[in-house]
């Protein structure tokens, strides 16, 4: 049985397509390996053979979001030979379809004749059938006249075509004979094309030709070479983490099929390579100092799909921002409707991101057409987000194809009492009240700016929510006060000690004393694992370091807490959590996964993977960028021509520089040197304010 663990795999992602294989480059049945496009697995077997036997694996690595390279060799065939003379290099690129250039090099003094083959197979499994371990029958291979092989799903339009240059089919193996001269190299090209109801997808000519080129900026400055900001840090681990994160975010970029100019981030590979309201919005927010276009595109894509009617099956409501979309032809096999609105937090997050993008310089001409969507989102909070009229945003359980929980911890057991009991909906989540508070104030600011009515009304609504929250959510134990994770159906505080409270810090709903209580709780041994922030305290009933939401560490969740702690002046706690993630990064080859297990760092030599985590994952990658922002305490106000910086006292790095930050129509450079910030705004005359809370 092959090792199918997450650290034994290579993942290549580009848009709606991705490949998961072993480190040897082979795709084998029995796990999550495969070529996936639009949530369908079009290839579940791809194994390289030399004379019918797998070559011996040497090394394999991702060399960019959508590229990888693999090295192997053929053992010596003569007893008198010590060193192997035949080596093989596979250069892979994924961009809709899959292409590999396979180079067979003969370093010997005599020519070599061999047969190169690839064993191929397809099952057309839906992505969640793969995740849940369902095994489907293999589809029969159909040979083509040009030496290719085709697989076709019965009853559907899904089709996979595999072609090996000079190859022919023998059973389930495409093979071609090679004569490799002494000192020479023979090259074979493998091409995989897929088609479904949306048409044929293949790899464009020339894509991935630089698959063996060195990856620029891994240790020093990080930039994509196309006008993007460059980041340089004295800590090489942080530099590499940011470099990998930038590449992963680029590979997860998708475009709206209805408006290809608008780009957003897919949530993550392999399970969530699609539009998610919450994930895409948080990713856009985190990436704002580096990619304003991502925020613009995300807002537009979601605005086009904003709820307009009441639909009990999809949970659509007027003004509501959707939860997720599935485009594949097999989406009806999923656990949820193909277009699903069951999210209580995406709608206030939409307003927050609109305001933050405006502060970062999104022009009025781009934001003005979205103001109707902002007003509709605000209206949803009051009309539909609060179904029982108690003044809190909450969700109910609809049954059937619906999520039991509709915040970011959306697993069935994700919200728990201190004693481990699972809370049941209707639930009012603590962090969602913080989002709603921030959305009301930020929305009011936008309404005022564009001369629309209602700003003062929303400010009063926010003030009332803040008082209600203070009266209803706070609980206390022997270690002090902390906010409950939720209110349950009977309006009782759900007193589990959970990471949700970290999201409150940046919302403004807490006063200075309350942020201090939260900071102490987040830095406690039960919450801070040494690798990052646990989703549930190890002191709570129901804690499980291998639970999806009840004890694991989510990098984006940790990054949000780091940012909130830094904004509210709790530098020591911010540094502790940040150092944990940076310390964990090299163990994941600097690609922080969706989540990993919550075992304590002082009891494990390395962070322990979570078995089915997405990798790469958008907000995990973007979290590294948010931590850069947290170090500088960077808060722009482009409409007011003002930049506020509050660097971390005793920052975790001696040196950190970000050059070429695009703020509105201008660029600035930021440099941190031994705790001091140097700003170069290139004469643009921003009013720069550098302050510290300590």
């Amino acid at each position: 049985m092959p090792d199918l663990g997450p650290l034994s795999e290579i993942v290549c992602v580009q848009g709606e397509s991705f490949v998961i294989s072993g480190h040897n480059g082979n795709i084998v049945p029995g796990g999550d390996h495969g070529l996936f496009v639009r949530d369908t697995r079009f290839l579940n077997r791809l194994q390289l053979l030399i004379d019918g036997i797998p070559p011996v694996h040497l090394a394999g690595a991702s060399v960019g979001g959508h590229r990888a390279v693999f090295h192997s060799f053929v053992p010596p065939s003569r007893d008198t030979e010590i060193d192997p003379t035949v080596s093989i290099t596979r250069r892979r690129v994924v961009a809709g379809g899959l292409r590999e250039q396979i180079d067979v090099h003969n370093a010997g003094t005599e020519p070599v004749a061999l047969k190169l083959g690839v064993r191929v197979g397809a099952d057309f499994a839906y992505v969640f059938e793969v995740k849940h371990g369902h095994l489907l029958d293999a589809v029969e291979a159909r040979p083509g006249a040009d030496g290719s092989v085709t697989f076709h799903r019965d009853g559907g339009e899904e089709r996979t075509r595999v072609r090996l240059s000079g190859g022919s089919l023998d059973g389930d193996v495409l093979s071609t004979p090679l004569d490799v001269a002494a000192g020479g190299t023979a090259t074979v090209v493998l091409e995989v094309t897929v088609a479904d109801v949306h048409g044929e997808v293949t790899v464009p000519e020339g894509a991935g030709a630089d698959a063996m080129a060195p990856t620029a900026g891994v240790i020093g400055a990080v930039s994509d070479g196309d006008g993007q900001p460059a980041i340089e840090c004295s800590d090489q681990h942080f530099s590499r983490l940011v470099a990998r994160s930038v590449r992963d975010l680029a590979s997860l970029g998708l475009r709206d099929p209805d408006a290809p100019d608008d780009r957003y981030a897919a949530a993550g590979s392999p399970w969530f390579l699609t539009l998610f309201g919450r994930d895409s919005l948080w990713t856009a927010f985190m990436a704002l100092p580096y990619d304003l276009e991502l925020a613009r595109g995300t807002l537009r894509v979601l605005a086009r799909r904003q709820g307009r009617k009441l639909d009990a099956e999809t949970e659509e409501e007027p003004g509501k921002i959707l939860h997720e979309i599935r485009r594949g032809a097999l989406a009806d096999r999923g656990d949820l409707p193909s277009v699903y609105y069951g999210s209580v937090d995406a709608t206030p997050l939409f307003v927050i991101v609109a305001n933050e993008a405006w502060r970062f310089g999104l022009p009025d001409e781009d934001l003005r057409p979205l103001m109707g969507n902002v007003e509709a989102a605000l209206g949803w909070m009051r009309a539909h987000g609060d179904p029982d009229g108690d003044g809190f945003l909450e969700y109910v359980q609809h049954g059937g194809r619906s999520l039991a929980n509709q915040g970011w911890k959306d697993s069935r057991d994700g919200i728990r009492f201190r004693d481990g009991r699972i809370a049941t909906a209707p639930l009012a989540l603590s962090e969602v009240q913080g989002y709603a508070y921030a959305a009301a104030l930020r929305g009011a600011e936008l309404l005022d700016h564009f001369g629309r009515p209602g700003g003062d009304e929303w400010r009063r609504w926010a003030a009332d929510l803040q008082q209600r929250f203070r009266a209803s959510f706070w609980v206390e134990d022997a270690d002090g006060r902390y906010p409950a994770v939720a209110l349950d159906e009977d309006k009782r505080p759900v007193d589990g000690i959970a990471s949700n409270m970290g999201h409150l810090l940046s919302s403004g709903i807490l006063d200075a004393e309350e942020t201090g209580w939260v900071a102490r709780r987040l830095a406690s041994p039960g919450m801070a694992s040494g690798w990052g922030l646990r989703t549930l305290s190890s002191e709570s009933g129901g804690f499980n370091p291998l639970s999806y939401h009840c004890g694991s560490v989510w990098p984006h969740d940790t990054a949000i807490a780091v940012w909130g702690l830094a904004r509210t002046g709790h530098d020591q706690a911010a540094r502790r959590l940040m150092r944990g993630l940076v310390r964990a990064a090299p163990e994941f080859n600097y690609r922080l996964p969706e989540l990993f297990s919550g075992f304590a760092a002082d009891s494990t030599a390395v962070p322990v993977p979570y078995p089915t985590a997405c990798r790469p994952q958008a907000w995990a990658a973007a979290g590294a960028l948010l931590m850069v922002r947290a170090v500088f305490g960077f808060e722009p106000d482009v409409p007011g021509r003002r930049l506020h910086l509050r660097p971390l006292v005793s920052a975790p790095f001696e040196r950190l520089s970000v050059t070429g930050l695009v703020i509105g129509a201008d660029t600035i450079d930021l440099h941190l040197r031994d705790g001091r910030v140097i700003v170069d705004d290139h004469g643009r005359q921003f009013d720069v304010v550098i302050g510290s809370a300590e």
Side-chain angles (χ1 to χ4, degrees):
M1 179 67 183
D3 182 0
L4 300 179
L7 296 186
S8 67
E9 296 175 342
I10 299 293
V11 181
C12 298
V13 182
Q14 180 66 42
E16 293 182 294
S17 58
F18 64 93
V19 169
I20 302 176
S21 73
H23 268 283
N24 58 7
N26 288 336
I27 296 169
V28 297
D32 61 2
H33 284 192
L35 165 64
F36 297 77
V37 179
R38 288 190 280 264
D39 290 340
T40 298
R41 180 162 64 186
F42 284 85
L43 207 64
N44 75 330
R45 186 189 292 274
L46 181 65
Q47 295 172 280
L48 179 66
L49 304 172
I50 301 295
D51 291 332
I53 300 172
V56 180
H57 172 61
L58 286 171
S62 169
V63 290
H66 70 297
R67 296 171 292 135
V69 61
F70 309 95
H71 298 279
S72 58
F73 70 90
V74 178
S77 58
R78 300 176 182 175
D79 294 338
T80 56
E81 293 178 335
I82 299 175
D83 296 325
T85 57
V86 177
S87 60
I88 303 160
T89 301
R90 300 167 67 178
R91 295 178 176 88
R92 172 176 295 168
V93 58
V94 177
L98 178 149
R99 176 180 292 143
E100 286 191 12
Q101 177 179 310
I102 306 172
D103 294 327
V104 181
H105 179 67
N106 176 16
T109 58
E110 298 179 5
V112 172
L114 52 82
K115 180 179 284 189
L116 184 148
V118 286
R119 177 170 284 119
V120 292
D123 64 354
F124 297 106
Y126 182 58
V127 66
F128 281 102
E129 293 174 319
V130 177
K131 184 177 184 182
H132 299 322
H134 299 163
L135 298 179
L136 277 65
D137 293 335
V139 175
E140 181 183 358
R142 303 178 182 178
D146 59 352
S148 65
V149 59
T150 300
F151 302 91
H152 189 279
R153 183 173 75 88
D154 289 342
E157 298 186 40
E158 289 75 30
R159 187 173 68 255
T160 306
R161 179 177 178 268
V162 185
R163 185 177 181 275
L164 188 71
S165 53
S168 60
L169 183 65
D170 182 8
D172 61 350
V173 177
L174 274 172
S175 59
T176 184
L178 295 179
D179 292 312
V180 190
T185 300
T187 296
V188 175
V189 175
L190 174 77
E191 293 180 292
V192 183
T193 303
V194 307
D196 63 7
V197 293
H198 299 287
E200 185 174 88
V201 184
T202 187
V203 180
E205 286 293 333
D210 58 344
M212 280 297 292
T215 304
V218 168
I219 295 178
V222 178
S223 173
D224 70 357
D226 189 23
Q228 293 296 308
I231 301 171
E232 189 174 3
C233 184
S234 56
D235 186 324
Q236 291 189 6
H237 292 312
F238 192 59
S239 291
R240 293 184 181 196
L241 171 60
V242 174
R244 187 64 181 261
S245 297
V246 169
R247 294 197 300 271
D248 283 345
L249 281 177
S251 71
L252 290 168
L254 296 178
R255 296 194 177 271
D256 189 343
D258 296 334
D261 288 342
D262 292 336
R263 176 170 50 91
Y264 63 93
S269 167
W271 320 120
F272 307 120
L273 201 63
T274 185
L275 174 65
F276 268 68
R278 174 193 309 117
D279 298 53
S280 297
L281 283 165
W282 259 123
T283 300
F285 184 100
M286 293 172 170
L288 262 172
Y290 318 93
D291 193 352
L292 183 60
E293 290 298 318
L294 183 64
R296 185 201 323 256
T298 301
L299 290 167
R300 287 175 171 174
V301 169
L302 291 170
R304 290 187 190 100
R305 294 158 178 82
Q306 189 173 29
R308 289 172 173 78
K309 64 180 186 296
L310 292 172
D311 186 325
E313 181 181 359
T314 66
E315 301 186 46
E316 179 180 356
E317 294 166 338
K320 194 175 187 180
I321 299 300
L322 61 78
H323 173 64
E324 71 175 280
I325 284 179
R326 296 287 175 175
R327 293 186 63 226
L330 304 181
D332 59 348
R333 297 184 185 178
D335 298 330
L336 301 173
S338 59
V339 179
Y340 180 59
Y341 285 80
S343 166
V344 73
D345 51 4
T347 306
L349 285 171
F350 179 88
V351 180
I352 291 170
V353 173
N355 177 278
E356 191 78 351
W358 173 66
R359 288 175 171 270
F360 270 88
L362 186 66
D364 284 3
E365 56 265 31
D366 288 325
L367 191 53
R368 186 176 287 108
L370 296 170
M371 282 306 299
N373 304 99
V374 168
E375 289 175 315
L378 290 169
W380 174 86
M381 292 199 306
R382 189 161 48 196
H384 300 284
D386 179 16
D388 64 3
D390 68 346
F392 294 121
L393 266 64
E394 57 201 349
Y395 55 88
V396 299
Q397 288 179 325
H398 290 262
R401 300 175 75 190
S402 175
L403 288 170
N405 285 308
Q406 297 188 3
W408 82 263
K409 294 180 180 177
D410 56 6
S411 53
R412 181 193 60 82
D413 63 349
I415 308 299
R416 291 178 178 265
F417 286 89
R418 181 79 175 259
D419 61 9
R421 287 177 296 128
I422 298 172
T424 56
L427 289 174
L429 299 173
S430 61
E431 80 275 16
V432 174
Q433 313 317 311
Y435 299 161
Y437 175 83
L441 293 181
R442 287 173 176 261
E445 187 176 32
L446 291 176
L447 293 173
D448 291 350
H449 176 73
F450 286 99
R452 294 177 179 243
D456 289 341
E457 181 182 356
W458 281 108
R459 277 183 278 269
R460 288 192 295 271
W461 187 89
D464 290 344
L465 174 60
Q466 186 179 44
Q467 293 304 313
R468 289 191 298 273
F469 183 88
R470 186 163 289 134
S472 301
F473 273 81
W474 286 90
V475 294
E476 190 168 4
D477 64 9
D479 295 323
R481 302 189 72 200
Y482 65 95
V485 66
L487 300 182
D488 74 357
E489 56 188 339
D490 297 318
K491 309 304 176 185
R492 295 173 302 180
V494 180
D495 59 353
I497 303 172
S499 64
N500 304 53
M501 69 179 77
H503 295 227
L504 296 170
L505 292 167
S506 60
S507 70
I509 200 171
L510 306 180
D511 63 24
E513 184 179 28
E514 291 163 344
T515 64
W517 292 333
V518 169
R520 284 191 291 275
R521 191 67 62 155
L522 295 178
S524 68
M527 291 299 295
S529 73
W531 302 117
L533 182 67
R534 291 188 177 106
T535 46
L536 185 70
S537 171
S538 60
E539 300 171 359
S540 289
F543 169 77
N544 175 2
L546 284 169
S547 165
Y548 196 56
H549 286 133
C550 297
S552 56
V553 172
W554 287 62
H556 91 282
D557 189 36
T558 301
I560 290 170
V562 167
W563 179 57
L565 290 164
R567 288 191 76 192
T568 52
H570 301 286
D571 291 14
Q572 185 174 356
R575 287 196 303 272
R576 179 177 180 182
L577 292 178
M578 184 174 180
R579 284 171 175 160
L581 275 189
V582 175
R583 180 184 174 193
E587 305 301 332
F588 295 104
N589 195 23
Y590 300 97
R591 171 180 277 169
L592 288 175
E594 176 189 16
L595 72 157
F596 53 90
S597 301
F599 294 101
D602 59 11
S603 67
T604 58
V606 295
V608 179
Y610 182 83
T612 58
C614 285
R615 56 209 182 277
Q617 212 255 4
W619 63 12
L625 307 184
L626 186 63
M627 290 195 297
V628 174
R629 183 177 172 187
V631 171
F632 286 105
F634 180 56
E635 301 293 337
D637 177 9
V638 171
R641 303 294 296 173
R642 182 183 178 94
L643 299 175
H644 186 270
L645 297 134
R646 189 212 159 272
L648 285 176
V649 175
S650 300
F653 315 117
E654 293 180 3
R655 293 180 292 104
L656 178 65
S657 294
V658 183
T659 57
L661 273 176
V662 179
I663 309 299
D666 303 319
T667 60
I668 66 167
D669 302 334
L670 300 177
H671 307 280
L672 182 69
R673 298 289 185 270
D674 299 320
R676 293 180 59 250
V677 170
I678 302 168
V679 182
D680 184 357
D681 66 355
H682 304 285
R684 308 299 187 188
Q685 298 182 347
F686 282 102
D687 181 12
V688 179
V689 178
I690 301 177
S692 173
E694 296 183 3

